[in-house]
Amino acid sequence: MEPRSSVESIYFVDTAHPSQQENKFIGLIADQRIAIVPEFTLECGEILYDVPVAFKTWGALNKERNNCLLLCHALSGSADAADWWGPLLGPGRAFDPTHFFIVCLNSLGSPYGSASPVTWNSETKAIYGPEFPLSTIRDDVALHKLVLQRLGVEQIAMAVGGSMGGMLVLEWAFDTNYVRSIVPISTSLRHSAWCISWSEAQRQSIYSDPKFNDGFYDMDDQPLSGLGAARMSALLTYRSKCSFERRFARKLPDANRHPYPDRVPTPMTPGDAHWVVHNEGNHNRRERPCRSPGSSPESPGSGFFKVSSTPSLSQSTDTASGTRSPLLRRPANTYFSAQSYLRYQAKKFVGRFDANCYISITKKLDTHDVTRDRGSEDPMEVMKHLTLPVLVLGIESDGLFTYDEQVEIASCFPNASLETIVSAEGHDGFLLEFTQVNSYIQKFEAEHLADILSQENTSAELELESLNAQRESVFGEMEDITSW
Ligand SMILES: CC(=O)SCCNC(=O)CCNC(=O)[C@H](O)C(C)(C)COP(=O)(O)OP(=O)(O)OC[C@H]1O[C@@H](n2cnc3c(N)ncnc32)[C@H](O)[C@@H]1OP(=O)(O)O
Ligand SMILES: N[C@@H](CCO)C(=O)O
């Protein structure tokens, strides 16, 4: 499906644009700009009007307009590549704005500024919500190309991205006249049954939240427990068993650093006590009437659970009522550091992401298949003419986009090399192992983009100061993970 807007009709606005009027996530991304594409036809046939595309740039175009380094973000990323790949960005690093015009554009369906369930539909005069149409990786590439052309880019020197970003990178490779080289990382030629299934399980978590309401939820009262649960299971697929064992093993949470997150009722009877253990961590838990002797569940006067700030089953003392605790022995622990971490990550995620956007993006991932509508189901066949230089990076501990899939990608391009990111962290290694990613990409640039590296762009200097400024990350913490 061809996009209909001419490149010249695209214009630039800031984030106060009406498309973002109800988007509470837009403010999380610093200093980005928005391109408005007047009309764009998605692969599904739906036409979007006044389509916002959020983006950030670093450095400047050279006079040949061929030094664009395109960064493509992953599922929960944004156009602010400095936030999630910051250590790779800067003079002397793989993404060097003194040589490259670095551009990162936000994908459709993401809550960070491009058209999505949380942006305004100028036709219905409301946010899209669950009526945002299905978008594909190819839609992103087609839409982003319009914006790149509007920015004056005549050729992409190198497109780099991991995970979902790697899917965009692979689709970019088919634009043989526009793209000179690519670096797909921890990604796939087509979304595997394994990945589709994880997406499905995560969406089901969201659907089963009573607040989801088929996607028509109140933006001020969102299905947070469903979205949080989705992120928890996703996070597990982004890491490895080995990494979790190393970090958490059977440790208990450090109460000073990670205080117990829940307010837990003090049990009055053995049944109450068991109920507390059973429901600990249940965000949708309701208040349970006290069932102590002499009271009935329906007699509120006899009191509901008393609320304390620590899990009461770790205490075997008397209850507030003076009766003996129903549990005299110290029970086995049921709350571990690993759980505390997952809950913390879920809580953090629901503060920065939207449930409908999560569904929209995971469905987009499910559509990914480089062979779709290209005349053969054999990727080798559909890719044999893609002779551009390709560097594939894979992580052996990645259980989501497996190393075998990276081998397959490399084998389908006639001019590809494969390198290994050594990491026990699993899939997220591409966001954590900065030194290795940086050095592999620099080596690749030296080999294939020497002409661009030989040009120095002094006008980029102005931007470097703000690039180096310390600021809080929206996404990654990039802390020393061994400290846990
Ligand atoms: C699919 C894609 O598209 S990905 C591409 C782009 N990605 C993005 O844009 C953002 C995605 N970001 C991420 O995936 C992650 O943030 C990463 C991979 C960058 C970094 O991983 P993180 O999970 O943030 O780091 P880490 O695992 O070390 O967690 C650190 C946090 O957990 C907390 N924590 C650690 N252990 C515990 C514990 N036992 N209990 C509670 N909290 C804990 C730390 O205090 C820290 O908190 P903070 O965030 O307030 O500083
Ligand atoms: N941690 C990344 C992994 C997905 O590939 C994200 O949240 O975007």
Side-chain angles (χ1 to χ4, degrees):
M1 204 60 66
E2 283 303 307
R4 297 190 184 176
S5 282
S6 66
V7 167
E8 296 69 37
S9 66
I10 295 169
Y11 57 99
F12 300 113
V13 297
D14 62 27
T15 51
H17 186 260
S19 61
Q20 311 296 332
Q21 59 191 290
E22 287 190 33
N23 183 358
K24 65 179 188 179
F25 303 99
I26 191 73
L28 296 175
I29 312 303
D31 309 323
Q32 62 177 354
R33 294 164 73 199
I34 307 242
I36 302 292
V37 179
E39 192 177 318
F40 182 79
T41 308
L42 296 167
E43 273 202 276
C44 69
E46 185 74 27
I47 303 172
L48 299 179
Y49 296 97
D50 303 322
V51 191
V53 183
F55 69 97
K56 280 190 82 157
T57 69
W58 298 263
L61 261 185
N62 60 7
K63 70 175 187 315
E64 296 84 9
R65 297 173 176 270
N66 67 357
N67 65 334
C68 173
L69 196 169
L70 181 68
L71 300 179
C72 303
H73 68 76
L75 186 153
S76 75
S78 72
D80 192 1
D83 197 18
W84 43 272
W85 251 351
L88 278 69
L89 186 54
R93 301 178 190 173
F95 310 145
D96 186 338
T98 64
H99 298 301
F100 293 101
F101 176 49
I102 301 162
V103 185
C104 184
L105 303 109
N106 186 219
S107 284
L108 291 165
S110 159
Y112 303 124
S114 290
S116 79
V118 294
T119 59
W120 192 253
N121 179 346
S122 55
E123 286 186 287
T124 62
K125 309 276 181 270
I127 59 165
Y128 282 98
E131 294 173 342
F132 188 72
L134 176 72
S135 67
T136 66
I137 300 289
R138 291 184 196 173
D139 287 325
D140 284 340
V141 168
L143 184 64
H144 290 174
K145 183 172 180 182
L146 289 173
V147 178
L148 288 176
Q149 288 177 314
R150 178 66 180 81
L151 289 168
V153 173
E154 285 186 8
Q155 187 181 49
I156 294 172
M158 180 172 72
V160 188
S163 197
M164 181 180 91
M167 297 177 185
L168 270 83
V169 162
L170 291 173
E171 282 295 337
W172 274 112
F174 287 83
D175 197 342
T176 49
N177 292 325
Y178 199 61
V179 181
R180 186 171 158 189
S181 68
I182 61 165
V183 183
I185 309 174
S186 307
T187 189
S188 62
L189 295 171
R190 38 196 166 195
H191 213 36
S192 64
W194 183 241
C195 287
I196 290 170
S197 305
W198 279 112
S199 292
E200 174 64 13
Q202 290 155 27
R203 285 190 297 267
Q204 289 298 338
S205 296
I206 296 173
Y207 294 149
S208 62
D209 186 323
K211 290 188 175 168
F212 180 63
N213 193 26
D214 299 339
F216 291 108
Y217 47 82
D218 182 342
M219 288 303 283
D220 294 322
D221 187 20
Q222 300 197 29
L224 301 184
S225 61
L227 181 60
R231 180 63 171 180
M232 286 191 196
S233 61
L235 188 72
L236 292 172
T237 70
Y238 301 154
R239 300 299 169 96
S240 67
K241 180 177 178 191
C242 171
S243 134
F244 265 55
E245 286 305 325
R246 187 165 50 79
R247 291 179 73 174
F248 307 115
R250 291 186 58 79
K251 281 187 230 163
L252 303 183
D254 176 339
N256 295 323
R257 297 177 83 172
H258 310 296
Y260 194 73
D262 249 355
R263 283 162 60 78
V264 174
T266 301
M268 309 289 277
T269 68
D272 293 340
H274 301 317
W275 181 92
V276 168
V277 175
H278 199 74
N279 279 290
E280 187 282 311
N282 172 4
H283 287 288
N284 298 315
R285 181 186 64 209
R286 286 171 293 177
E287 281 208 55
R288 176 183 150 104
C290 178
R291 299 173 74 91
S292 58
S295 69
S296 74
E298 290 76 34
S299 57
S302 64
F304 283 64
F305 284 120
K306 292 186 183 305
V307 170
S308 68
S309 59
T310 50
S312 50
L313 288 187
S314 61
Q315 308 155 358
S316 60
T317 53
D318 290 349
T319 63
S321 69
T323 57
R324 292 201 64 175
S325 166
L327 293 184
L328 295 176
R329 291 189 198 153
R330 187 176 173 79
N333 283 311
T334 58
Y335 183 59
F336 296 92
S337 196
Q339 285 165 279
S340 150
Y341 172 75
L342 278 185
R343 290 180 194 181
Y344 177 78
Q345 292 289 337
K347 188 172 172 208
K348 204 165 82 162
F349 188 69
V350 300
R352 73 165 177 95
F353 219 84
D354 171 73
N356 282 325
C357 288
Y358 198 89
I359 290 169
S360 179
I361 294 214
T362 55
K363 286 200 180 266
K364 183 209 296 276
L365 297 178
D366 292 353
T367 69
H368 172 64
D369 178 355
V370 296
T371 69
R372 181 165 56 81
D373 300 331
R374 286 194 168 122
S376 167
E377 287 186 8
D378 179 1
M380 191 80 89
E381 186 59 30
V382 301
M383 293 164 71
K384 65 183 182 201
H385 65 290
L386 305 180
T387 54
L388 76 176
V390 177
L391 168 65
V392 182
L393 297 182
I395 304 166
E396 276 172 332
S397 61
D398 188 340
L400 195 59
F401 294 81
T402 60
Y403 194 79
D404 284 352
E405 290 178 283
Q406 315 317 308
V407 172
E408 188 190 14
I409 295 170
S411 71
C412 287
F413 284 103
N415 185 16
S417 58
L418 170 67
E419 298 285 2
T420 304
I421 299 168
V422 178
S423 176
E425 293 303 323
H427 179 64
D428 264 347
F430 78 94
L431 292 167
L432 299 166
E433 308 291 353
F434 300 114
T435 311
Q436 293 179 65
V437 176
N438 190 70
S439 70
Y440 283 134
I441 294 176
Q442 281 193 316
K443 188 163 159 265
F444 181 76
E445 288 169 351
E447 206 173 321
H448 299 284
L449 303 172
D451 55 318
I452 289 174
L453 293 185
S454 69
Q455 300 172 1
E456 192 83 13
N457 181 357
T458 45
S459 63
E461 294 294 339
L462 284 175
E463 296 181 22
L464 300 181
E465 206 173 309
S466 66
L467 191 62
N468 291 331
Q470 285 287 328
R471 62 193 165 85
E472 202 171 316
S473 166
V474 172
F475 304 102
E477 294 64 37
M478 297 171 199
E479 59 176 339
D480 175 9
I481 57 171
T482 56
S483 67
W484 300 103

